[in-house]
Amino acid sequence: MPKIIGGSLEEHRQRTREKIFAALAALLETQEFESVTFSRIATAAGVGRTAMYNHFPDRESLLVEYAIHETTDYIAQLRAGVSDSATPRDAAIAYVHTQLDLNVSFHVPQTSGGATLTPETAARMRDHVVLIEDVLRTIVADGVASGDFAADLDVDSTVRIINGLLVGSSAKRYSRPALEDFVLRGLGAES
C-alpha cells in the first residue's frame, strides 16, 4: 500500500499530480514529449508507474492536463504583467515583454512533426491556447474601441499571428524593440 502524502486523499492526489507535472517539466527540458514514457516520469516523480495510470489513462490525457496546469499560472502571470498599463498601446507592449519573459520559465510541450493527436485531444490543446489568446484579444478589442489601434483590424487573425510570433523559440531571434515595433505596426498603432 503506497504511503498517503498530505492530510486527505484529495490532498494526496493533488500532491502526486504536482510531482508528476514537475517531473514531466524537468524531462521536457531535455527531451521531446514523444520520447518521454510514463515509466520515466514515474521514476523522476518518485511514484509508482501504476500511480501514473491512476491519474492519467494515457499520454494524451497527461499532455492535456499538463498544458491546462501550466496555462493556469501562465495566464495569471500574463494578466499581472499587463494590469498596470494605462492604455491599450502600453498593454500591448507589456504583453510582448511578459510573453517573452514567461517563455523562458514555462514548458508546455510541443509535439514534433511526427506526432499525431486525436481530433478531441487537439481541440482540448487548442482550448488552452485560446485562454492565452483571450488576454491579448481583450487588449486589442479595447485598443480598437479607444481608437489606439486600427478600426478595421481582424482581431482574431491578428491575435493568432502575434501569439504565433511570441510563443516558442522563434521570438528569441529578434530584439524586444523590433518585436514591439512589429506588434504595434500590426495593430495599426502609432510608433
Side-chain angles (χ1 to χ4, degrees), residues 5 34 37 60 81 97 113 123 135 142 145 157 162 169-170 176 184 188:
I5 52 175
E34 288 78 16
T37 65
E60 286 193 351
H97 290 194
V135 176
D142 289 349
S157 295
I162 291 171
S169 60
S170 63
R176 284 180 184 234
L184 289 175

Side-chain angles (χ1 to χ4, degrees), residues 4 6 26 38 46 56 68-69 73 84 94 109-110 113 146 152 155 159 169 173 178 180 190-191:
I4 301 294
F38 268 24
F56 311 101
I68 291 168
H69 169 78
D73 195 33
D84 291 335
Q110 304 293 318
S146 71
D152 60 347
V155 174
V159 165
S169 60
R173 294 184 289 195
E180 289 173 21
E190 300 280 327
S191 293

Side-chain angles (χ1 to χ4, degrees), residues 74 95-104 161-180 182-183:
Y74 192 97
Y95 183 87
V96 169
H97 290 194
T98 306
Q99 276 282 31
L100 295 173
D101 293 342
L102 290 175
N103 276 337
V104 172
I161 291 167
I162 291 171
N163 270 339
L165 174 65
L166 296 176
V167 176
S169 60
S170 63
K172 295 175 187 171
R173 294 184 289 195
Y174 308 105
S175 70
R176 284 180 184 234
L179 289 168
E180 289 173 21
F182 182 83
V183 168

Side-chain angles (χ1 to χ4, degrees), residues 85-136:
S85 302
T87 66
R89 184 186 189 286
D90 292 344
I93 292 170
Y95 183 87
V96 169
H97 290 194
T98 306
Q99 276 282 31
L100 295 173
D101 293 342
L102 290 175
N103 276 337
V104 172
S105 61
F106 280 87
H107 304 284
V108 174
Q110 304 293 318
T111 57
S112 68
T116 305
L117 300 176
T118 64
E120 296 81 19
T121 300
R124 289 189 68 203
M125 289 297 290
R126 176 74 187 127
D127 288 345
H128 96 272
V129 173
V130 169
L131 294 173
I132 295 169
E133 288 177 345
D134 283 345
V135 176
L136 180 58

Side-chain angles (χ1 to χ4, degrees), residues 29-98:
E29 289 184 21
T30 60
Q31 303 170 51
E32 288 189 3
F33 179 72
E34 288 78 16
S35 67
V36 178
T37 65
F38 268 24
S39 182
R40 283 187 190 158
I41 299 167
T43 299
V47 301
R49 227 177 70 205
T50 55
M52 294 292 299
Y53 290 100
N54 289 337
H55 290 270
F56 311 101
D58 54 45
R59 289 171 37 82
E60 286 193 351
S61 297
L62 172 62
L63 176 67
V64 170
E65 292 300 317
Y66 177 73
I68 291 168
H69 169 78
E70 288 291 289
T71 300
T72 302
D73 195 33
Y74 192 97
I75 291 170
Q77 290 190 44
L78 196 53
R79 286 184 177 142
V82 302
S83 66
D84 291 335
S85 302
T87 66
R89 184 186 189 286
D90 292 344
I93 292 170
Y95 183 87
V96 169
H97 290 194
T98 306

